[in-house]
């Protein structure tokens, strides 16, 4: 799983590969632990790229949690700059 760009301005892209189709859920939490965004995507077998908008978020540090079937695949800090 690769998350870029970081720092981000308007969008974050998430690249990943799956053996089987699955629903991927992307959660964004602010520095206090409050969930500020949650989006689910139906993803296909093979390479996938998800685009997540950060345009409406205020500048600051966020935690991006990527889950497949309620299992955490990756947690990464993302800095949003305006």
């Amino acid at each position: 799983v690769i998350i870029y760009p970081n720092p981000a301005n308007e969008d974050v892209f998430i690249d990943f590969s799956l053996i089987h189709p699955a629903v991927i859920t992307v959660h964004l939490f602010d520095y206090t632990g409050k969930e500020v965004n949650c989006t689910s995507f139906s993803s296909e077998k093979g390479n996938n790229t998800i685009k997540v908008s950060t345009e409406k978020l205020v500048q600051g540090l966020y935690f991006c949690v990527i889950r497949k079937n309620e299992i955490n695949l990756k947690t990464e800090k993302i800095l949003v700059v305006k």
Side-chain angles (χ1 to χ4, degrees):
V1 177
I2 300 169
I3 302 172
Y4 63 93
N6 195 5
N9 185 351
E10 294 179 6
D11 298 305
V12 169
F13 296 92
I14 302 166
D15 290 348
F16 59 94
S17 184
L18 297 174
I19 297 172
H20 302 286
V23 174
I24 301 296
T25 306
V26 178
H27 302 267
L28 290 177
F29 298 91
D30 67 14
Y31 68 93
T32 68
K34 178 183 173 188
E35 186 173 65
V36 294
N37 190 354
C38 178
T39 310
S40 294
F41 302 88
S42 295
S43 300
E44 300 298 322
K45 175 182 174 181
N47 295 329
N48 292 269
T49 300
I50 293 174
K51 177 182 172 182
V52 178
S53 175
T54 60
E55 189 174 23
K56 294 182 181 179
L57 299 177
V58 298
Q59 182 167 303
L61 181 65
Y62 295 85
F63 295 91
C64 179
V65 179
I66 302 163
R67 294 182 177 147
K68 178 181 120 183
N69 301 331
E70 298 304 316
I71 297 170
N72 285 358
L73 298 178
K74 185 166 191 166
T75 300
E76 188 168 317
K77 294 177 190 176
I78 296 175
L79 182 62
V80 173
V81 294
K82 301 292 179 172

